[in-house]
């Protein structure tokens, strides 16, 4: 069966590029290059070959009767100590779609793309290759990035034949393909499908993100001599804000679409057991699928932080870190995806994606949709990342159906 070949390919790639801690295919490094060499050999067995664009993305093309192209995407790069499915599942399920059409000319052209540096694990910039291909990349915003060893991004790119200032030229090459639709199969990386007892879901869109750092400033003082009522405790103000943000997320969540917020970092000064914290900085990451909901959750958080600051007699300042709008996938493609999942598995749960994916960059260029496979225990980016084989097979089958339905639809239109 076709799906079992994809799983065998995934296991072979994992065996070649993992150690005891998990997958080590960090973009622009030697193991990632090994993965791409393995990929080239895999393609050669079916008479296919990959070409690299100016953004470092690897393209495999199966020419059809018409030049217009259905694009299937994923990424072979992983985080350090990563899993066997994140990214690679999309690429290898795409190759399977080409194999199924090889030998006969499909009505439109099919292309599989392995995006470079989706994870941003080394230089903290995700979606690098796909943002080159969509031309949303602004080179000056990443020019000065360095990794933990002090290597500059521009030098790591050059080592791989990529010139930062030419990366957005990949958009012209992509447009020359006349892209009609973008399809991506990925693991969910969350617990929702597993909790529903479902193997596969259609993805309706990706959450927007508002990311800030909040700095609370009060007064450091001795922990023994300062009465509670007279303190200006910056940590307590931050803690009250974090709890309020959890309530805000709950209040704005609906059964169809959740709102999430995370305080992921806390920094306290002076950081001494005998001192009332005079300064506290927290990060706040808020996500939602509806733009208006996200903006309301942010406004509510600002109000809650001001209230907590006043209650503790401290000040609060907000520093903007990063934001991205929510994105809704193409309704026609979501409908095809739902149909494909329903036909193969008997159910068609629809869910949003909390993490971002290359599909968001491709959606700037053409209609896009994603399909998710269940993640065991909701885990990813670790060696425990897994999906039961039967669920993986069903999902890969459903994805092949989505490819066929999309090809038929765009060929008819
Ligand atoms: Zn991924």
């Amino acid at each position: 069966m076709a799906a079992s070949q994809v799983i065998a390919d995934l296991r072979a790639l994992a065996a070649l590029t993992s150690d005891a801690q998990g997958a080590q295919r960090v973009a622009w490094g030697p193991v990632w290059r090994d993965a791409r060499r393995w990929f080239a050999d895999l393609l050669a067995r079916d008479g296919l070959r990959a070409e690299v664009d100016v953004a470092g993305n690897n393209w495999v093309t199966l020419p059809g009767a018409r030049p217009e192209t259905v694009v299937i995407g994923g990424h072979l790069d992983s985080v350090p100590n990563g899993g066997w499915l994140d990214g690679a599942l999309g690429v290898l399920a795409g190759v399977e779609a080409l194999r199924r059409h090889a030998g006969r000319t499909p009505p439109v052209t099919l292309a599989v793309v392995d995006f470079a540096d989706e994870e941003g694990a080394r230089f903290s910039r995700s979606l690098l290759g796909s943002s080159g291909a969509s031309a949303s990349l602004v080179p000056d915003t990443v020019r000065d990035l360095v990794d933990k060893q002090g290597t500059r991004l521009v030098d790591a790119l050059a080592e791989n034949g990529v010139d930062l200032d030419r990366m957005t030229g990949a958009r012209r090459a992509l447009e020359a393909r006349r892209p009609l639709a973008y399809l991506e199969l990925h693991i969910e990386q969350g617990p929702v499908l597993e909790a529903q007892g479902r193997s596969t879901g259609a993805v309706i869109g990706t959450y927007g993100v508002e990311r800030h750092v909040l700095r609370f400033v009060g007064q450091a003082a001795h922990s023994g001599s300062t009465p509670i009522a007279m303190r200006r405790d910056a940590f307590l103000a931050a803690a009250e804000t974090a709890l309020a943000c959890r309530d805000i997320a709950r209040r704005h969540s609906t059964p169809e679409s959740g709102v999430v917020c995370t305080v992921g970092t806390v920094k306290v000064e002076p950081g001494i057991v005998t001192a009332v914290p005079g300064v506290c900085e927290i990060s706040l990451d808020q996500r939602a699928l509806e733009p208006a909901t996200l903006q309301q959750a942010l406004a509510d958080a600002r109000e809650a932080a001001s209230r907590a600051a006043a209650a503790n007699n401290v000040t609060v300042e907000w520093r903007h870190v990063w934001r991205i709008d929510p994105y809704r996938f193409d309704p026609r493609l979501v409908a095809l995806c739902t149909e494909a999942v329903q036909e193969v598995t008997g159910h068609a749960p629809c869910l949003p994606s909390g993490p971002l994916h290359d599909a968001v960059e491709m959606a700037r260029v053409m209609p896009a949709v994603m399909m998710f496979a269940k993640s065991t225990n909701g885990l990813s980016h670790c060696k425990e990342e897994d999906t039961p084989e039967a669920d993986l097979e069903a999902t890969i089958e459903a994805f092949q159906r989505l490819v066929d339905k999309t090809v038929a639809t765009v060929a008819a239109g």
Side-chain angles (χ1 to χ4, degrees):
M1 195 169 102
S4 55
Q5 182 59 53
V6 176
I7 295 169
D9 293 343
L10 285 161
R11 295 217 186 273
L13 175 65
L16 180 76
T17 58
S18 306
D19 60 22
Q21 308 312 316
Q24 307 296 342
R25 301 184 297 273
V26 178
W28 318 115
V31 182
W32 177 71
R33 285 191 291 266
D34 287 347
R36 281 196 161 181
R37 269 190 292 272
W38 171 87
F39 186 54
D41 291 344
L42 180 85
L43 294 172
R45 278 188 241 153
D46 292 293
L48 297 164
R49 62 182 193 88
E51 289 171 288
V52 182
D53 70 13
V54 291
N57 306 307
N58 223 357
W59 290 84
V60 191
T61 308
L62 181 70
R66 284 163 41 193
E68 289 91 342
T69 304
V70 171
V71 180
I72 304 167
H75 58 95
L76 290 183
D77 75 304
S78 75
V79 296
N81 306 327
W84 68 298
L85 296 169
D86 183 346
L89 173 61
V91 175
L92 295 170
V95 171
E96 180 57 29
L98 300 194
R99 283 190 198 120
R100 284 161 59 112
H101 285 88
R104 53 206 159 97
T105 306
V108 294
T109 299
L110 288 174
V112 172
V113 55
D114 156 31
F115 285 112
D117 204 355
E118 190 273 347
E119 298 286 2
R122 185 168 158 200
F123 294 99
S124 305
R125 171 52 158 96
S126 307
L127 313 183
L128 190 63
S130 56
S131 67
S134 73
S136 76
L137 176 68
V138 180
D140 282 344
T141 60
V142 299
R143 196 177 306 280
D144 297 325
L145 294 177
V146 288
D147 69 8
K148 283 194 183 119
Q149 277 69 46
T151 305
R152 286 153 32 110
L153 171 66
V154 282
D155 295 331
L157 292 175
E159 204 188 323
N160 290 275
V162 175
D163 175 350
L164 173 62
D165 287 300
R166 292 185 58 220
M167 284 179 80
T168 56
R171 167 94 184 220
R172 273 192 305 281
L174 173 54
E175 275 172 358
R177 294 175 175 274
R178 300 206 231 162
L180 294 177
Y182 177 81
L183 312 175
E184 184 174 341
L185 174 59
H186 205 279
I187 51 167
E188 182 198 340
Q189 306 179 271
V192 174
L193 288 172
E194 187 175 60
Q196 294 175 349
R198 303 287 179 246
S199 63
T200 316
V203 186
I204 51 179
T206 57
Y207 280 2
V209 182
E210 286 284 359
R211 194 173 295 163
H212 293 85
V213 168
L214 283 65
R215 183 178 171 86
F216 295 88
V217 178
Q219 177 61 55
H222 194 282
S223 68
S225 60
T226 317
I228 294 288
M230 298 174 76
R231 293 183 180 196
R232 300 177 60 207
D233 189 323
F235 169 73
L236 288 181
E240 284 175 20
T241 303
L243 291 171
C245 286
R246 180 176 64 179
D247 288 338
I248 291 163
R250 281 181 180 148
R251 202 161 65 235
H252 291 294
S253 288
T254 62
E256 200 240 338
S257 166
V259 176
V260 290
C261 74
T262 306
V263 173
T265 70
V266 186
K267 239 169 35 198
V268 171
E269 290 172 29
I272 301 169
V273 288
T274 53
V276 175
V279 176
C280 184
E281 268 193 13
I282 57 172
S283 62
L284 178 62
D285 177 291
Q286 296 177 288
R287 301 183 186 222
L289 186 60
E290 299 301 333
T293 308
L294 183 57
Q295 289 318 306
Q296 191 57 53
L298 175 59
D300 290 358
R302 284 187 188 281
E303 200 191 302
S306 297
R307 218 180 315 119
N312 290 281
N313 197 19
V314 306
T315 60
V316 60
E317 268 176 34
W318 286 65
R319 193 169 83 238
H320 174 255
V321 177
W322 184 68
R323 71 175 307 282
I324 189 167
D325 285 325
Y327 182 77
R328 284 263 180 188
F329 287 131
D330 181 74
R332 275 177 43 208
L333 289 178
V334 172
L336 292 182
C337 187
T338 307
E339 257 178 51
V341 174
Q342 175 80 40
E343 285 170 16
V344 173
T345 71
H347 301 277
C350 290
L351 69 168
S353 172
L356 291 167
H357 293 284
D358 293 312
V360 178
E361 288 297 333
M362 287 301 95
R364 300 176 192 272
V365 185
M366 67 191 115
V369 74
M370 293 184 73
M371 184 184 287
F372 274 169
K374 166 210 280 189
S375 288
T376 301
N377 297 321
L379 294 175
S380 70
H381 287 193
C382 57
K383 66 180 192 303
E384 291 82 9
E385 174 184 295
D386 201 14
T387 302
E389 249 184 51
D391 296 322
L392 212 43
E393 285 185 2
T395 303
I396 292 164
E397 269 315 310
F399 188 72
Q400 302 304 323
R401 269 195 199 223
L402 171 60
V403 174
D404 292 346
K405 284 173 185 288
T406 305
V407 166
T409 303
V410 298

